[in-house]
Amino acid sequence: MMVESASETIRTTPSNQNGISSLSSQSDGGGGREGGSKGDTNGEISPVDLLHLQQQQALQAARQFLLQQASGLNSPGNELKQSPVQVPVSMAMMSPQMITPQQMQQILSPPQLQALLQQQQALMLQQQLGTKQLAFQQQLIQMQQLQQQHILNLQRQGLVPLQPTATMQSLQQAMCPSDLQQLWKEVSGVQSSEEALKQAEGLDLSTNSSNSTSVFPKAASTHIALHSLANGQSHTPKRDSHEEHASSHPLYGHGECKWPGCEALCEDMGQFIKHLNNEHALDDRSTAQCRVQMQVVQQLEIQLAKESERLQAMMAHLHMRPSEPKPFNQPLNLASSGSLIKRDSEAYPEGLPHPPTSAATPITPLRQGPSVISSSSLHTHSHSHTHGVGPIRRRNSDKYCTPIASELAQNCEFYKNADVRPPFTYASLIRHAILESPDRQLTLNEIYNWFTRKFAYFRRNTATWKNAVRHNLSLHKCFVRVENVKGAVWTVDEVEYQKRRPPKMTGRCVLSPTLVKNMISGLGFGSLNASYQAALAESSLSLLNSPSLLTSPASLNMLHVGHDDVSSTVEQVNSNGSCSPTLSPQQYSHQVHVKEEPTELEEDSRPVSLLAGVTHSLPLPSDERDLEEDLPTEELE
DNA sequence: GGTCTCTTAAACACGC
DNA sequence: CGCGTGTTTAAGAGAC
């Protein structure tokens, strides 16, 4: 039902490693469907006059915006400084080489992705619900004001280039290319400007940002773009150079019009200019697109602010002084409104134990809503499947890992619906599947089914992962094949499984090499990742704001660390095969707590005695402890 | 740089 | 012969 439609939808947006082509195909393939839903929207939509009103407002807003941009509010000097740097990397350049949708989804923690899904779903729902004219109009007005104010602020500080689109595009790049692309396609192409406006509305509403829109991180987007370039791949650098200005236009790159959703081919600048004037003149559509982009920008800026704050907290927690405010950091302080963002200094006086990031985070939008609606509307797809973007293991001390059970329990819906590769090894998954079964044994086929049932990701490329599953079953001694009456079943030899662990370093996370590099490049990782992270700050916040996860700083670890079953140790030691199937939510939340601190100990010396200590806070009978890993099972369903 | 782990691909065997 | 299952080898890559 839901799941199916979800996965199907996801599948319809195949993405290749090549971001661009994936985007294209996405629009092509999904076009029909999208159109369909659009139709619904149209149907439910308002009276004509309202429509006109909206359009007029949008147009007006955009005009004002453009006028401001054109009226030289920004100082030429500053602009020059920014301009070259900021020449946006085209999506075409960035997507394929720096980050593919898959990569993006992979660097993000499930919660983040989940939140993103929710966000998009919210957007879709918004569309489907169609009417909210009053609220919408109010928002329009508010948006106008805020946007103007925002632009003015940025311009005053010389942080915004003359071409508004430059900033926009920068941010655009910070978002999942495919998402944006789709959004833009919808807005620019088939959709009427009214729909575009609704898109904007959806964006806005989905973020609960209405009351925080006053926060405009200075030039965040600019920096993001800048760093994306800096850390970018080979061919982007050129665009940083001066030669730029001569033949470049923020909306033109690689022979393509970079107007969101356009991609028209233009051989030269002249042709591009012509195209720009013809196709993207100041009309309703362009205006609507512009407005959407504004929303995107605002959204991202807010998210960046939040993410920045979190970073500060993280660093504070790790006692890492935000050394030199690298460009990446700078924008962090941009909090023009003190309410939401604090400066590094104020927020976390050095060394201070500071509160968990989220604590300071005022907004906690998603996650409580209809949690994880079918992610159908989303396309986190990642396919690609080419090895290019294959999974990459990321080193992560086990102590920072989250047990597979917890992870799955937390994000079961997410994995079920989103085509996201779970951050577990095959062995972990197989083991989990087996232990989760009533008899703790499964046939190969049942294992297959478990995979497909639990993970949208494993609903495709079956040959590949099934082969991997078989391979793992055979390879690892921890999986024992038992001849059964009706065939062979696989069981788990926990002892063996644990033996397998010692050489810590199992966390398997799927990150692209490029991203990993970016991430590890110290604070510099701000570039690309920052972009995406910022774009998705909201999502992670949602997790952080989850009470059960906030109780300990360690909870932070759950966010991005690739996991493997750390807790398995615990389980293993105690588990003698019994496993109580159900667990109350309380117990569950307990479980979450329990794993945090303890894991470290148990990792290194996993004596049983320690386990007792580990679970100290909750006197769980061994059986229940055993559940730690298994319980999620129940939650999964 | 060597080793370990994991993933993926592929060849091969075996039984139905 | 085709298919599912199971085993094994090898290559590539990240982490330590």
Side-chain angles (χ1 to χ4, degrees), chain A residues 345-398:
Chain A
S345 52
E346 345 180 304
Y348 307 110
E350 78 184 275
L352 128 145
H354 57 49
T357 21
S358 48
T361 308
I363 306 178
T364 55
L366 326 168
R367 223 288 139 155
Q368 54 244 46
S371 95
V372 191
I373 314 170
S374 76
S375 46
S376 42
S377 53
L378 215 242
H379 21 289
T380 359
H381 37 24
S382 49
H383 320 40
S384 89
H385 268 29
T386 35
H387 311 33
V389 194
I392 296 171
R393 268 161 291 114
R394 176 170 101 198
R395 116 49 149 95
N396 57 327
S397 313
D398 283 346

Side-chain angles (χ1 to χ4, degrees), chain A residues 1 14 23 42 80 91 135 168 179 209 217 239 246 252 257 299 334 360 371 379 402-403 442 471 509 525 535 544 579:
Chain A
M1 37 169 268
L23 293 176
N42 274 333
L80 282 178
M91 297 276 289
M168 292 176 173
D179 294 345
S209 58
R239 304 191 66 72
Y252 180 62
C257 170
Q299 174 70 20
L334 31 82
S371 95
H379 21 289
T402 298
L442 290 176
H471 168 75
C509 187
F525 78 101
L544 286 174
C579 121

